[in-house]
Amino acid sequence: MSKAAWSKIGLTILGWLIGAMFFYPIFYMAITAFKTEKGAYSPDIFFIPTLESFGEVFSRSDYFLFVRNSILISFGSTILCFILAIPSAYRMAFYPTQKSQSTMLWMLSTKMMPAVGVLIPIYIIWQWLHLLDTVTGLIIIYTLMNLPIAVWMSYTYFSEVPKGILEAGRIDGATATQELWHLLRPMTMPGLSSTALLLIILAWNEAFWSINLSSAKAAPLTVFIASYSSPEGLFWAKLSAASLLAVAPIMVMGWLTQKQLVRGLTFGAVK
Amino acid sequence: MSVKSPPAALTEESSAPIQKIDPAEKWRRLLMWPSVVPLLLWMIVPLAFTIYFSFIRYNLLNPAVSGFAWFQNYQFLVGDASFWPAILNTLLFIGAVLIITVVVGVLLAVLYDQDFFGKNVAMLLVIAPFFVMPTVSALIWKNMIMHPVYGSIALFLQNLGIAPVDWFADFPLVSVIIIVSWEWIPFSFLILVTALKSLDQEQKEAAAIDGAGPFTQFRYIVLPHLEKAIGVVVMIEMIFLLSIFAEIYTTTGGGPGNATTTLAYLVYALGLQQFDAGIASAGGILAIVLANIVSIFLVRMLAKNLSQAK
């Protein structure tokens, strides 16, 4: 075989080996979820799978409350983000002024406030407003956290729309609302929906605010999993089952949206 | 390549003489409000309160404690037995995670920039950890991978005849660094591999024809090309790492002693465990100052990017 073919085989082995190493903890978690608690402590890969642990996780009276909270918080904040972001993105993309660029930079710079810097005041303000341990309280935080990303991403997708199309629409007498719905929506839908996925992932996995601002009523899955940090007895299989359920749907979303992830998280600095 | 930056019209209006203001323009200005007003509040209100709280005596449980404290909170904070260890831990932690994620990220980006069988699937495996919620990563690593008896690492070392390590007892900060690096390598990798795609292949081929080996190519073509992307990774990670909390909260609780207490954890412990909002706010201010130093550079770079793209 030629040298090129050998090096391709070598690269294939190396690339897959490294991939396997990175994925190993997730793989281990996934198979342990299907073991019994006793069997979980042996490293066997071959075993009779059981759904016992999932049953135990589901039977916790509050499990579905955590799931409900996670869904409400991540979807709620994402929808709210778009409602607030789209008008501004539309304005800056199609009717830019001198101030548009600095406004955008200012918005992105609000992302650079470290959460820990404002933890104490937010905790106290949330206490005053009775927002502690409420779904609304977390939705507000996550919306503010993700809003700059939503504006930035919507703006870049709107900017990609050829100007001529909107002008043609306007000549045909389309109103601004019709323009948005009939022209912009179909053209920017793929971009905006992957942005939505990104925002859902970020909100779903956020653990600083959820741990500090929620306890029993509004706690999402991040907090539920954290409750396994003080375990009693055998708990690997239950931890794995609960973790797998919390992680799997989001990981699929993440894989689908990996390209937009770079755009969204670096604010376009890396292309 | 796919990011289309701001439209060409971005500054056109400023150069054109203003003749009359379009009546619709008045309404369009309102479109900015839904995003500007909440973000303005988000930026100003908590910051103002943090500054205010950091200068008053404020205990969440004891309303009798009150009054202006001048710089006492800052003095108490700096005098706290965990303060200097927390600063040191924060620097060690951020420094180590940055070095690990950037070095490994660059190497992986170069590897996955090559073509091989099933490359795209193997890449999905590498980026997967980024989508695992922090509490899950921390607990799976602590209990199932790094457990001194049953953990995968212990079993692996035993097979090699090496005595297993009690990670969280003997090397607590290292353990947290390992977990957080595992979560953030995919981030730097994904950004660097994207940046590498825009490298001109002809440049590399030309260098190869001129007799440049793979290392020379890496040093003089690949690395300079990645410089900007590495800068972005470093700055964004620094801002996120400054607030890393869940991984420490679920594994070590800042201990043993204060071995894994970082600035973020110290603020949490002072404010929400000891209920001293005043001192904790002083710690918060410190974190904000640190982050601002970093973000000045980041914003400057983004600004350059926005105007270059014109």
Side-chain angles (χ1 to χ4, degrees):
Chain A
M1 266 199 293
S2 71
K3 201 179 149 204
W6 277 114
S7 81
K8 196 168 179 180
I9 290 171
L11 280 174
T12 308
I13 294 170
L14 189 63
W16 276 91
L17 204 64
I18 289 173
M21 272 170 61
F22 271 88
F23 197 69
Y24 171 75
I26 299 165
F27 170 76
Y28 192 32
M29 168 192 93
I31 61 166
T32 308
F34 295 96
K35 289 182 176 176
T36 60
E37 281 299 356
K38 269 188 202 150
Y41 289 77
S42 80
D44 298 337
I45 295 188
F46 300 103
F47 58 93
I48 302 152
T50 162
L51 293 177
E52 204 177 274
S53 310
F54 291 99
E56 275 188 57
V57 171
F58 291 145
S59 70
R60 273 187 64 156
S61 57
D62 45 4
Y63 174 74
F64 289 99
L65 181 71
F66 294 110
V67 176
R68 187 204 71 150
N69 290 340
S70 264
I71 293 174
L72 279 179
I73 292 164
S74 51
F75 283 79
S77 65
T78 301
I79 292 169
L80 198 55
C81 260
F82 275 112
I83 293 175
L84 300 178
I86 298 247
S88 317
Y90 173 79
R91 149 84 172 168
M92 287 192 282
F94 297 112
Y95 303 96
T97 66
Q98 295 155 275
K99 278 192 271 173
S100 296
Q101 186 182 336
S102 51
T103 308
M104 182 75 80
L105 279 174
W106 166 73
M107 284 184 178
L108 295 181
S109 75
T110 63
K111 280 288 298 166
M112 290 156 203
M113 171 82 82
V116 62
V118 292
L119 168 64
I120 304 297
I122 291 290
Y123 185 88
I124 293 167
I125 295 168
W126 258 225
Q127 204 167 31
W128 291 340
L129 300 175
H130 301 287
L131 286 172
L132 273 187
D133 200 17
T134 62
V135 168
T136 319
L138 283 177
I139 289 182
I140 294 174
I141 291 280
Y142 292 169
T143 302
L144 291 166
M145 201 179 73
N146 285 339
L147 187 53
I149 302 181
V151 175
W152 162 253
M153 300 279 274
S154 317
Y155 166 77
T156 60
Y157 288 115
F158 283 164
S159 306
E160 284 167 14
V161 173
K163 291 271 177 299
I165 291 186
L166 289 192
E167 272 158 30
R170 224 162 292 153
I171 289 164
D172 290 345
T175 62
T177 335
Q178 284 172 331
E179 206 177 281
L180 266 174
W181 191 254
H182 294 292
L183 289 170
L184 280 182
R185 190 185 50 90
M187 290 175 74
T188 53
M189 211 45 182
L192 293 186
S193 35
S194 52
T195 306
L197 285 185
L198 174 63
L199 300 185
I200 290 169
I201 294 170
L202 291 176
W204 185 276
N205 285 345
E206 204 289 329
F208 181 83
W209 291 111
S210 64
I211 289 175
N212 282 310
L213 297 182
S214 69
S215 52
K217 290 199 312 278
L221 286 164
T222 43
V223 177
F224 168 63
I225 302 288
S227 71
Y228 281 95
S229 61
S230 45
E232 291 151 21
L234 300 177
F235 73 111
W236 278 22
K238 279 193 285 292
L239 167 66
S240 298
S243 300
L244 182 63
L245 290 169
V247 163
I250 287 303
M251 189 163 298
V252 175
M253 283 189 189
W255 279 337
L256 290 177
T257 183
Q258 51 164 316
K259 285 211 182 69
Q260 276 64 35
L261 198 89
V262 175
R263 189 195 279 221
L265 292 178
T266 65
F267 309 128
V270 172
K271 300 164 189 185
Chain B
M1 294 300 266
S2 61
V3 178
K4 298 286 177 340
S5 48
L10 202 63
T11 51
E12 256 170 31
E13 286 194 358
S14 58
S15 54
I18 300 163
Q19 282 154 350
K20 56 177 180 191
I21 292 175
D22 186 351
E25 180 62 16
K26 261 199 315 204
W27 295 102
R28 282 191 216 118
R29 272 183 202 150
L30 291 179
L31 295 175
M32 293 308 290
W33 285 38
S35 63
V36 168
V37 173
L39 284 175
L40 204 59
L41 292 174
W42 174 236
M43 186 181 79
I44 293 171
V45 176
L47 181 64
F49 273 106
T50 318
I51 295 173
Y52 173 60
F53 290 156
S54 78
F55 287 111
I56 61 168
R57 293 191 190 90
Y58 190 4
N59 189 295
L60 293 176
L61 292 187
N62 185 357
V65 178
S66 64
F68 204 67
W70 293 105
F71 288 94
Q72 265 178 17
N73 286 326
Y74 292 89
Q75 278 172 1
F76 281 131
L77 176 73
V78 175
D80 192 295
S82 348
F83 177 74
W84 289 110
I87 294 292
L88 185 67
N89 287 339
T90 308
L91 294 178
L92 281 175
F93 167 75
I94 295 182
V97 173
L98 279 180
I99 292 171
I100 295 172
T101 51
V102 168
V103 171
V104 178
V106 169
L107 294 177
L108 291 182
V110 172
L111 172 65
Y112 288 90
D113 193 44
Q114 320 289 319
D115 195 31
F116 60 80
F117 300 110
K119 182 179 90 166
N120 291 334
V121 183
M123 265 173 76
L124 290 184
L125 298 182
V126 176
I127 63 168
F130 191 67
F131 306 118
V132 178
M133 55 175 68
T135 47
V136 168
S137 317
L139 288 178
I140 296 290
W141 272 86
K142 184 191 180 190
N143 293 298
M144 293 168 63
I145 312 287
M146 292 172 138
H147 190 282
V149 180
Y150 301 107
S152 300
I153 298 179
L155 295 179
F156 181 72
L157 291 180
Q158 256 168 3
N159 280 337
L160 295 177
I162 303 170
V165 179
D166 190 351
W167 290 95
F168 280 93
D170 298 335
F171 306 103
L173 190 60
V174 174
S175 311
V176 175
I177 290 172
I178 292 174
I179 298 175
V180 175
S181 300
W182 179 74
E183 293 174 320
W184 283 89
I185 286 171
F187 173 78
S188 74
F189 163 65
L190 199 54
I191 286 171
L192 295 173
V193 83
T194 310
L196 209 51
K197 270 188 207 143
S198 63
L199 177 62
D200 189 4
Q201 284 303 317
E202 281 175 25
Q203 206 183 349
K204 272 175 89 177
E205 280 160 23
I209 291 167
D210 288 345
F215 289 104
T216 322
Q217 282 182 35
F218 176 75
R219 170 71 184 80
Y220 293 100
I221 297 176
V222 174
L223 222 45
H225 179 77
L226 287 180
E227 203 175 306
K228 195 173 113 191
I230 291 175
V232 173
V233 169
V234 167
M235 288 185 278
I236 292 177
E237 277 192 15
M238 272 172 107
I239 289 157
F240 275 98
L241 294 177
L242 203 55
S243 293
I244 283 285
F245 171 75
E247 289 83 348
I248 297 171
Y249 173 84
T250 45
T251 55
T252 64
N258 46 31
T260 53
T261 299
T262 58
L263 185 55
Y265 199 84
L266 184 64
V267 171
Y268 158 80
L270 288 170
L272 302 187
Q273 285 183 326
Q274 298 169 29
F275 302 107
D276 199 318
I279 302 180
S281 298
I285 291 294
L286 197 62
I288 292 173
V289 170
L290 286 177
N292 268 308
I293 296 172
V294 178
S295 54
I296 287 170
F297 290 100
L298 186 54
V299 170
R300 218 176 259 171
M301 199 157 139
L302 294 174
K304 221 196 225 161
N305 244 51
L306 274 175
S307 43
Q308 260 175 10
K310 266 185 264 168

